[in-house]
Amino acid sequence: MRPSQSAPVPVPTTIRWWRLRPWSRNDLMRRSDRYEAVIVMLAAILVLLLIPFAAAFGTATHTRLQHQTQALRTSVHQVPAVLLEDSYPAPNSPEDSLRPTSTQDTALARWSTPHGDRTAAVPTDNPAKAGQTVTISVDADSNLTGPLPSPWDNTMVAVTAAFGIWALTAGAVLLPTAVAHILFHRNRMRRWAHEWKQFDMPSR
């Protein structure tokens, strides 16, 4: 009876990648294998270096959004407006009305400006009746404004922008790396097939 053979122990991925380092002394590594290892290593370094770049981009985006919000806040002021109709659920609001959140109703309202009265659909926090006075936010030209972005909104936009720029640039680096890996792999398979064919040929 043949002694039982133990199953081969799988090699951890990190060790396998370390063995493929370009400066490896393994004589079985071809020159093309070392070229491929250099390309993969440079791509990994570039992808890692893009992280602080993306973080700086996200920080700059957040700062710019905060300044814009602050500028909007200084130009917006509140004025009283008289409702011209009973409020109704926001999903039924006209297309040209301000788009409020799902917890708000909408009603047509009129407010006074230095250049005359203005009329538009405005959001109301609670159901309201015609003739009721509500407070709305208008800009320097007395035009109705929407809700100002919150710090959380600006943070989420900045994080999304940072991740997006990182993914875009990392993809630009990894795509040609993947194409090079495919080409190197095909070339390696062709050479192996040719060498196996030479090995199987009977000696004369």
Side-chain angles (χ1 to χ4, degrees), residues 135-153:
T135 302
I136 61 174
S137 298
V138 296
D139 57 18
D141 296 327
S142 299
N143 296 318
L144 186 66
T145 63
L148 296 177
S150 65
W152 172 255
D153 295 333

Side-chain angles (χ1 to χ4, degrees), residues 59-188:
T59 301
T61 301
H62 184 266
T63 301
R64 176 175 54 83
L65 292 175
Q66 289 292 85
H67 289 166
Q68 291 178 354
T69 301
Q70 184 61 29
L72 289 174
R73 186 174 288 110
T74 57
S75 63
V76 170
H77 60 282
Q78 294 182 330
V79 297
V82 179
L83 299 183
L84 302 179
E85 61 182 356
D86 295 344
S87 61
Y88 50 88
N92 298 328
S93 59
E95 294 181 355
D96 59 345
S97 65
L98 193 67
R99 186 178 299 175
T101 61
S102 59
T103 58
Q104 292 177 321
D105 290 345
T106 301
L108 191 65
R110 181 178 62 243
W111 66 95
S112 299
T113 72
H115 307 287
D117 292 344
R118 297 281 183 89
T119 302
V122 302
T124 59
D125 294 331
N126 300 306
K129 298 294 184 179
Q132 185 175 337
T133 300
V134 296
T135 302
I136 61 174
S137 298
V138 296
D139 57 18
D141 296 327
S142 299
N143 296 318
L144 186 66
T145 63
L148 296 177
S150 65
W152 172 255
D153 295 333
N154 292 337
T155 300
M156 292 305 299
V157 172
V159 170
T160 303
F163 180 79
I165 194 67
W166 178 82
L168 183 63
T169 52
V173 172
L174 295 178
L175 180 60
T177 303
V179 173
H181 171 71
I182 293 175
L183 296 178
F184 278 114
H185 180 71
R186 289 180 178 178
N187 179 67
R188 185 162 48 248

Side-chain angles (χ1 to χ4, degrees), residues 47-63:
V47 170
L48 293 177
L49 291 178
L50 288 173
I51 295 177
F53 169 77
F57 180 81
T59 301
T61 301
H62 184 266
T63 301

